[in-house]
Amino acid sequence: MSNNPLSELTPIFFLQTFILELMHASEQQGQKHCEQLIEHIAKTAGCFFEETYRENTHKNEQLDIESYIELILGIKNNIGGKFSLVSTNQDCITVTNSRCPFGEQVTNFPELCRMTSSVFGGVAARNFGYAKVEIKKSIARRDGRCDVCIYTTPQAAKGHAGMEYTDTTPVKEIKDIDELHCRIETSMQRLWHKQSKQISKKDQPPAIVAKSSMMQKILQSIEIVAPTLATVLIQGQTGVGKELIARAVHAMSDRSQKPFIAINCGAIPESLIESALFGHEKGAFTGAIEVHQGYFERAEGGTLFLDEIDSLSPAAQTRLLRVIQEGELERVGGRQTLTVDVRIISATNQNLEHLVKQDLFRNDLYYRINVVCLSIPSLAERAEDLPYLVQLIIQRLNKRYHKEIESVSRDVMQKIRAYHWPGNVRELENILERSILFANGKEMNELDLELPTETKSIVEWKDVKEHTLAKIEQSFLEKALKQHHGNIKKVAENMGITSRAVYAKLKKYKINLADYRRLDRES
């Protein structure tokens, strides 16, 4: 044979395949196995690469910037990458990459980006005393290329995302997040067990999966906000777990021993919503045969979670505003003023700011409930969380249906990663529940999910991407105009574009510049 079928089976190709298979096996176990595996490989490899480089170049002293760049580019390019230097100074080194050493399969394991972070960061910290590695773009997350910044001083790294490294101690941030996650989950578990006598057996203890950076920021916000008296607005698509976050805020607050009452404002008929929230007196209306305590009275001292708050009627919005401002309410049909001490956490899947502009939601109420806003990312925005969510859901379904499924097959996991999950975590739970009913053995090999055709999904993705980017751009432009009182020159500087481009965007989004200049005169 002229063509050797094993000609491409190089040691490097074998190791890459081996690592990918280890990653697949590790992700099935959930929890911290994946991160621990990556960190262990990266720490060991980074030390080995640096030692080999020193032997070949006869350098025993600390590496300078030029030597460090030569080392990290050489590491990646010699194992199949296509890295090059973008810019460098004493405080920051920026490199870019157009080809991943792991090939296209890296899109199934975006966690592997942490391997680059750990190698680059570990070597830099050993030689410069400090490093923070920020991966701005990533082939693994389908950005088309990798852009990596290595900051070598805390001052330069300030305000930038990324993992920090000091000397040989990697990723202090991971330890801090793990400890925070443990504190929040412990608080939620404690409350759940306290209430377990009243909870159905099919219910499971609450748990938040937060391996993605976006969800980790939510955890950090929870710890900061929970002990305060601030009202909280939770925004996010249907099914992202807004109530779970509200429960976490309550569990970490000083009110944790008092009631947490969750109500869906959209599920209560408009004619009954005021009675449900504020209660009613006997004879207040036909059928009111006795005094009824509303949700506010029942949540006394604790937390009231108002989901779909955008669906409240104008009258209910007015009453709610008074309760938040004065801490007082009157039951429907009553004359006695009652004092209540309740923390309000609201949630919506709508853009309340737009509803305010359309006079569909009270402006003053919006600012009262939006003291702190937590925006929960969609499942499509937190791909790192998928394996852990799958594992957690399967464990719960095993208990419910007396199954022994330990993991999902690689094909199933790829299918899960390829889908955009418009229904978010709730849809994922539904699909897995339907699939596990028909699963046998210890591995789920089939997923009851039809993926859209490739052509259609590409078109839809382009449309969604363009629409999303336009919304973000318009929102940013409006905020910049408001901040700078309609000063086009300052808005252009803020957005990094020309004044002419700003005027073009005003025309594109039909924004009236005079409105923002009028605000300046009125203020």
Side-chain angles (χ1 to χ4, degrees):
M1 291 180 66
S2 57
N3 293 327
N4 183 354
L6 300 179
S7 60
E8 295 184 0
L9 186 55
T10 64
I12 291 175
F13 176 79
F14 171 79
L15 286 174
Q16 290 168 353
T17 305
F18 179 69
I19 289 173
L20 287 170
E21 291 303 321
L22 274 179
M23 287 285 295
H24 172 66
S26 179
E27 75 172 356
Q28 301 299 321
Q29 298 178 44
Q31 300 300 323
K32 301 177 183 177
H33 292 279
C34 220
E35 280 81 2
Q36 290 172 345
L37 175 65
I38 293 170
E39 288 299 324
H40 179 73
I41 293 173
K43 283 166 59 180
T44 305
C47 293
F48 170 76
F49 290 139
E50 184 179 345
E51 183 180 344
T52 302
Y53 176 81
R54 289 180 178 280
E55 288 177 358
N56 292 338
T57 57
H58 307 290
K59 293 183 178 179
N60 297 317
E61 69 282 358
Q62 287 186 331
L63 300 180
D64 56 21
I65 294 291
E66 289 72 22
S67 298
Y68 171 75
I69 293 170
E70 182 181 36
L71 170 57
I72 63 173
L73 294 183
I75 290 172
K76 289 296 183 178
N77 291 338
N78 283 324
I79 61 171
K82 198 171 182 181
F83 276 76
S84 60
L85 179 66
V86 175
S87 63
T88 179
N89 56 51
Q90 289 301 313
D91 296 327
C92 179
I93 301 154
T94 303
V95 297
T96 189
N97 176 42
S98 59
R99 182 176 64 224
C100 181
F102 289 96
E104 294 181 0
Q105 291 187 73
V106 75
T107 56
N108 296 320
F109 298 102
E111 300 91 345
L112 281 171
C113 291
R114 190 169 293 166
M115 189 172 288
T116 294
S117 173
S118 296
V119 172
F120 285 12
V123 175
R126 280 191 293 274
N127 289 277
F128 309 130
Y130 171 89
K132 176 182 273 191
V133 181
E134 179 182 21
I135 300 179
K136 291 186 173 181
K137 292 185 181 295
S138 168
I139 294 173
R141 294 178 177 84
R142 305 180 188 276
D143 293 330
R145 71 177 193 271
C146 297
D147 289 343
V148 185
C149 294
I150 304 101
Y151 303 96
T152 55
T153 66
Q155 294 77 18
K158 189 175 181 180
H160 293 277
M163 310 308 294
E164 285 189 302
Y165 302 81
T166 305
D167 296 330
T168 57
T169 305
V171 202
K172 176 181 181 297
E173 189 174 329
I174 288 181
K175 181 181 178 182
D176 291 343
I177 284 291
D178 285 346
E179 291 176 351
L180 170 60
H181 200 169
C182 183
R183 288 197 298 274
I184 292 176
E185 195 152 301
T186 299
S187 297
M188 295 176 72
Q189 294 271 350
R190 185 182 65 248
L191 287 184
W192 185 85
H193 286 299
K194 182 181 177 182
Q195 300 169 1
S196 60
K197 292 181 181 179
Q198 290 81 36
I199 296 176
S200 168
K201 290 183 178 180
K202 70 176 182 178
D203 291 323
Q204 300 291 331
I208 298 175
V209 172
K211 297 298 179 181
S212 63
S213 60
M214 296 179 77
M215 285 303 296
Q216 288 175 359
K217 288 178 181 177
I218 294 294
L219 292 187
Q220 292 168 334
S221 299
I222 288 172
E223 185 172 51
I224 293 171
V225 172
T228 72
L229 299 175
T231 56
V232 179
L233 176 64
I234 303 175
Q235 294 182 318
Q237 298 176 4
T238 299
V240 294
K242 296 187 287 292
E243 183 177 334
L244 186 62
I245 299 302
R247 288 184 180 277
V249 173
H250 174 72
M252 293 291 287
S253 74
D254 296 335
R255 298 171 178 265
S256 60
Q257 301 304 312
K258 297 293 184 177
F260 174 91
I261 294 183
I263 60 172
N264 187 327
C265 300
I268 303 174
E270 186 175 336
S271 59
L272 299 178
I273 187 67
E274 290 186 65
S275 173
L277 287 174
F278 311 110
H280 62 250
E281 295 288 349
K282 181 178 180 181
F285 50 82
T286 303
I289 58 175
E290 58 184 16
V291 173
H292 169 72
Q293 284 189 329
Y295 287 116
F296 269 96
E297 290 182 71
R298 282 181 266 171
E300 175 64 26
T303 303
L304 184 61
F305 175 59
L306 302 176
D307 198 5
E308 294 190 26
I309 193 169
D310 52 279
S311 64
L312 286 180
S313 66
Q317 290 181 34
T318 302
R319 280 178 171 265
L320 177 58
L321 179 63
R322 183 193 173 193
V323 177
I324 295 175
Q325 289 184 155
E326 310 295 338
E328 297 177 345
L329 63 81
E330 291 177 0
R331 297 187 186 124
V332 176
R335 296 181 179 179
Q336 180 183 2
T337 299
L338 304 175
T339 301
V340 289
D341 174 22
V342 175
R343 183 183 194 169
I344 304 295
I345 300 180
S346 310
T348 180
N349 58 12
Q350 302 292 318
N351 188 321
L352 285 187
E353 197 168 352
H354 287 177
L355 295 181
V356 168
K357 291 178 180 178
Q358 298 168 22
D359 293 327
L360 297 175
F361 197 86
R362 287 188 64 122
N363 182 65
D364 44 6
L365 177 59
Y366 170 67
Y367 289 112
R368 284 289 182 177
I369 64 174
N370 191 26
V371 174
V372 176
C373 182
L374 300 179
S375 295
I376 313 303
S378 65
L379 195 51
E381 297 174 283
R382 43 187 293 214
E384 301 97 320
D385 292 336
L386 270 171
Y388 305 95
L389 282 167
V390 169
Q391 195 68 23
L392 176 66
I393 294 168
I394 285 177
Q395 289 172 358
R396 292 180 168 181
L397 292 173
N398 278 337
K399 293 180 180 178
R400 184 180 301 175
Y401 296 111
H402 307 291
K403 294 279 188 174
E404 296 181 353
I405 305 296
E406 295 179 354
S407 63
V408 301
S409 69
R410 184 166 191 169
D411 288 341
V412 167
M413 184 58 71
Q414 287 179 339
K415 203 171 183 180
I416 289 172
R417 288 187 182 277
Y419 188 56
H420 64 287
W421 298 107
N424 295 293
V425 180
R426 194 173 297 160
E427 183 183 11
L428 177 63
E429 291 174 335
N430 182 273
I431 295 295
L432 287 174
E433 182 171 9
R434 200 159 63 222
S435 301
I436 205 171
L437 290 172
F438 299 96
N440 295 312
K442 295 186 178 297
E443 185 176 73
M444 184 188 293
N445 296 305
E446 298 290 337
L447 190 70
D448 188 7
L449 176 66
E450 288 296 326
L451 294 176
T453 61
E454 186 175 354
T455 303
K456 183 179 178 183
S457 65
I458 290 174
V459 174
E460 289 178 347
W461 166 241
K462 287 181 179 178
D463 291 342
V464 170
K465 182 179 179 182
E466 290 175 2
H467 178 68
T468 303
L469 288 175
K471 285 178 65 179
I472 294 171
E473 185 178 64
Q474 181 179 353
S475 175
F476 187 91
L477 178 58
E478 290 173 345
K479 289 179 180 177
L481 286 165
K482 188 174 182 180
Q483 179 182 348
H484 298 296
H485 308 295
N487 187 317
I488 293 296
K489 185 177 179 180
K490 289 183 178 180
V491 171
E493 291 174 354
N494 195 4
M495 297 183 71
I497 58 178
T498 64
S499 297
R500 188 174 182 179
V502 173
Y503 280 111
K505 294 183 187 300
L506 291 175
K507 183 177 180 181
K508 176 182 177 181
Y509 299 119
K510 299 178 181 178
I511 296 174
N512 187 357
L513 181 60
D515 291 343
Y516 295 89
R517 289 176 173 170
R518 190 182 303 119
L519 285 174
D520 184 32
R521 292 194 297 270
E522 292 173 354
S523 60

